[in-house]
Amino acid sequence: DQELEDESDEDLEIRPPVVTVMGHVDHGKTKLLDAIRNTSVGAGEAGGITQHIGAYQVMAEHEGIERKITFIDTPGHEAFTAMRARGAQVTDIAILVVAADDGIMPQTVEALNHAQAAGVPIVVAVNKVDKEGANPAKVRQQLTEFGLVAEEYGGDTMFIDVSALKRDGIKELLDAVLLTADAGLDLRANPNKDARGVAIEAKLDKGRGAVATVLIQSGTLHVGDPIVAGTAYGRVRAMFDENGETVAAATPARPVAVLGLTSVPRAGDTFLVTDDDRTARQIAEKREAVERNAALARGRKRISLEDFTKALEDGKVESLNLIIKGDVSGAVEALEESLMDIEVDDSVQLRIIHRGVGAVTESDVNLATIDNAIIIGFNVRPDPKARERAAREGVDVRFYSVIYSALEDVENSLKGMLKPEFEEVQSGVAEIREIFRSSKFGNIAGVIVRSGTITRNAKARVIRDGVVVGDSLAIESLRRFKDDVTEVRTDFEAGIGLGKFNDIQIGDEIETIEMKEKPRV
Ligand code: GDP
């Protein structure tokens, strides 16, 4: 960024760190954010009605000095990664919340992978230490495997025991955040210029029009400034903070809700102050045109295994980034190990940037778009949002049910000799709405076909919450009312018998699969 490079050292002033709280569901992210807000120095002083504006600032005492910390009030790595996908990095430090009774869980690993991929330092909050069965030492030991080694054990990650419920350890946690900020991060910005920053949340309010919470990253935002945020523009009519107090000028790392934009920006959109209203409008209109073109060009932009192979053939040195999702952790580990064992030319690198258990999610796809990765799903499926987003962004997502096929595909690509392959094409998806027990035929699934066509001759698969629970099944009976049929189309109901396979539940999906030769691009 030209402007940043031009900045001389003496213009820069220390700014508060911006923190995101991440972790597994129910480990206490929301409770911790509440506890931090309520125990900080000066909390409640404002006396206003606290408002959710998507971020807030607290005061913390550190080595006798009162300092501010900004917290993003949307817990979880999804928002974090969605913003990164739009090119915005607002977080300086991540607090990884791990419940001491549960220990690390799939989303703990997911969150730390996302923070690590973004190069954001992590402070671990070991929460719920008040609970019986809490084992904070075990959390430390478990995270060692993921490169987070506690200071007590000679590493450089700070682990702080807290109870969000009893509000214990909050001061120590804030202290650790400030120590981390001071240790390795150069958190400075020039407050004496036109503001720039990122929209972190926005909505349309009936009375007030577009309300966008922005985080100032440099400069100072004033009431009356003409601004453009993403493709929205306008003039700052009023600003207020998380206590509902009006703000006249907002300095770096300060989150404020801004009124006066003509439309609603999206989370992760950058904003800047312009010389006048006309310039703001012109920039917004230009951005909109660029976005339209980008949308048209998308779908070809991301790397696929085929593109990668071609790049290799052309002698270009490349690294292949992979995201691995699987139904069980053993499979993910086995796949990861075998992939790393593939012997290839030294010039080619294979990097596994994220691995996890469970369905392929939207945040996996977001990560893939940022780091130009290919997603390998083993015995899992994408959730609907992920499927839609992958298609829109042109992310290469591949599904396998045999580790060997996945290995062969990647290995062939790495060696630059992709053979024609067969891919599984989903021909139909049905949702189980009822189950009929039949002593003669086993369980019969009463389904409604949600998409495509269910065909009698296809192989079937049963999926529960995005995970394959039954594979390569034959459809032994397919009926509409009392009639045997060969196919059932979208929106029609049917009864499906899967022979000896009886492990079906209401809500499961049955999908049918056909094998098709995949065209080379
Ligand atoms: P989130 O899904 O990570 O945002 O988790 P929540 O903040 O909603 O907390 C999940 C549950 O754990 C709630 O019932 C909280 O009351 C409880 N909880 C959170 N922190 C603590 C804690 O420090 N101690 C105890 N005993 N319970 C907690």
Side-chain angles (χ1 to χ4, degrees):
D1 193 46
Q2 193 58 38
E3 206 175 330
L4 284 178
E5 281 168 18
D6 288 348
E7 210 123 55
S8 71
D9 223 39
E10 59 260 36
D11 294 334
L12 300 175
E13 291 177 20
I14 291 209
R15 64 161 176 84
V18 180
V19 180
T20 298
V21 174
M22 303 182 186
H24 194 74
V25 64
D26 278 347
H27 278 197
K29 298 180 291 293
T30 310
K31 198 96 186 157
L32 183 65
L33 278 162
D34 288 347
I36 290 168
R37 195 198 327 250
N38 292 314
T39 49
S40 85
V41 185
E45 263 175 22
I49 303 159
T50 58
Q51 314 226 341
H52 174 88
I53 67 165
Y56 61 82
Q57 276 191 328
V58 298
M59 294 293 277
E61 204 188 282
H62 180 64
E63 289 166 359
I65 301 168
E66 291 212 335
R67 293 178 46 187
K68 285 180 182 148
I69 305 174
T70 304
F71 281 88
I72 302 292
D73 204 5
T74 320
H77 60 271
E78 287 81 5
F80 169 84
T81 299
M83 277 200 250
R84 255 187 96 214
R86 311 199 62 81
Q89 174 123 331
V90 302
T91 304
D92 301 311
I93 296 168
I95 292 182
L96 181 66
V97 180
V98 188
D101 53 340
D102 263 9
I104 71 165
M105 298 293 270
Q107 285 166 45
T108 313
V109 178
E110 203 158 288
L112 80 88
N113 282 164
H114 282 242
Q116 284 171 339
V120 171
I122 295 171
V123 172
V124 182
V126 182
N127 190 31
K128 307 197 187 185
V129 292
D130 60 284
K131 276 183 98 167
E132 212 172 297
N135 190 347
K138 187 166 170 210
V139 174
R140 284 165 172 76
Q141 185 238 314
Q142 286 179 321
L143 282 174
T144 304
E145 275 178 47
F146 296 89
L148 298 181
V149 182
E151 287 184 323
E152 306 91 290
Y153 302 149
D156 54 9
T157 303
M158 279 189 266
F159 282 68
I160 312 293
D161 291 343
V162 300
S163 165
L165 185 75
K166 298 211 154 40
R167 298 188 180 167
D168 285 338
I170 306 299
K171 189 187 170 313
E172 290 77 5
L173 183 62
L174 298 183
D175 227 41
V177 166
L178 290 171
L179 273 171
T180 305
D182 293 345
L185 307 173
D186 183 23
L187 303 180
R188 295 185 302 161
N190 178 2
N192 299 309
K193 59 174 192 175
D194 285 344
R196 277 169 176 266
V198 178
I200 51 176
E201 204 176 279
K203 61 173 187 210
L204 196 61
D205 187 284
K206 266 196 199 120
R208 299 180 294 183
V211 182
T213 297
V214 300
L215 183 76
I216 316 293
Q217 292 187 301
S218 66
T220 297
L221 186 64
H222 300 94
V223 170
D225 284 344
I227 64 169
V228 51
T231 58
Y233 65 96
R235 194 178 263 264
V236 178
R237 197 169 72 226
M239 296 193 283
F240 57 90
D241 66 11
E242 66 272 17
N243 299 314
E245 303 274 318
T246 56
V247 175
T251 52
R254 178 103 192 246
V256 279
V258 168
L259 306 186
L261 288 169
T262 48
S263 59
V264 181
R266 286 161 302 184
D269 276 342
T270 52
F271 82 88
L272 56 102
V273 170
T274 57
D275 288 341
D276 49 46
D277 298 327
R278 211 169 61 110
T279 314
R281 198 190 67 223
Q282 281 170 349
I283 295 175
E285 283 167 0
K286 197 167 153 212
R287 280 185 179 166
E288 214 170 288
V290 168
E291 240 173 52
R292 264 199 307 274
N293 290 338
L296 290 176
R298 234 180 260 135
R300 309 210 56 79
K301 208 174 68 191
R302 309 290 174 200
I303 197 145
S304 64
L305 269 181
E306 286 82 1
D307 294 342
F308 177 74
T309 308
K310 272 203 210 130
L312 276 182
E313 282 166 356
D314 295 345
K316 288 185 201 149
V317 180
E318 288 272 350
S319 92
L320 182 61
N321 292 340
L322 293 177
I323 292 173
I324 302 173
K325 292 302 285 280
D327 56 342
V328 289
S329 62
V332 175
E333 279 158 26
L335 190 53
E336 179 170 0
E337 264 170 38
S338 320
L339 283 167
M340 296 319 280
D341 278 349
I342 296 176
E343 277 181 30
V344 279
D345 202 294
D346 283 349
S347 61
V348 189
Q349 267 190 23
L350 189 71
R351 287 205 308 146
I352 293 164
I353 58 166
H354 175 54
R355 79 282 298 148
V357 174
V360 173
T361 63
E362 197 179 10
S363 75
D364 294 328
V365 176
N366 275 335
L367 193 62
T369 65
I370 299 169
D371 292 324
N372 213 359
I374 292 163
I375 301 177
I376 306 267
F378 181 74
N379 267 339
V380 292
R381 281 285 167 275
D383 64 31
K385 271 183 161 170
R387 193 191 302 262
E388 190 254 342
R389 194 162 173 91
R392 190 149 44 93
E393 296 284 350
V395 171
D396 190 356
V397 191
R398 295 176 170 239
F399 297 104
Y400 302 92
S401 42
V402 184
I403 287 191
Y404 180 73
S405 318
L407 283 176
E408 199 178 43
D409 241 19
V410 174
E411 183 161 7
N412 285 339
S413 302
L414 286 169
K415 291 185 171 158
M417 44 174 224
L418 210 63
K419 292 188 207 91
E421 338 153 15
F422 289 88
E423 66 175 348
E424 293 177 351
V425 177
Q426 184 194 59
S427 52
V429 182
E431 180 193 328
I432 302 184
R433 308 229 281 190
E434 271 178 281
I435 293 169
F436 308 97
R437 320 262 166 211
S438 142
S439 52
K440 200 163 144 206
F441 300 111
N443 288 347
I444 300 292
V447 304
I448 177 157
V449 180
R450 289 294 184 201
S451 66
T453 304
I454 297 288
T455 43
R456 171 78 167 73
N457 293 327
K459 282 275 176 248
R461 190 176 269 172
V462 177
I463 293 150
R464 186 169 305 148
D465 298 328
V467 171
V468 178
V469 293
D471 202 3
S472 291
L473 307 170
I475 297 184
E476 308 235 316
S477 73
L478 182 63
R479 285 188 167 190
R480 276 193 49 72
F481 302 101
K482 292 226 148 52
D483 302 328
D484 283 314
V485 292
T486 54
E487 58 174 49
V488 182
R489 290 173 191 280
T490 308
D491 290 337
F492 286 97
E493 293 179 335
I496 298 178
L498 295 173
K500 288 199 188 72
F501 185 83
N502 280 320
D503 174 25
I504 50 174
Q505 292 177 9
I506 289 172
D508 287 355
E509 281 183 343
I510 296 178
E511 70 174 17
T512 48
I513 301 293
E514 281 162 23
M515 300 300 284
K516 282 211 177 115
E517 188 172 326
K518 197 171 176 176
R520 284 198 63 169
V521 203

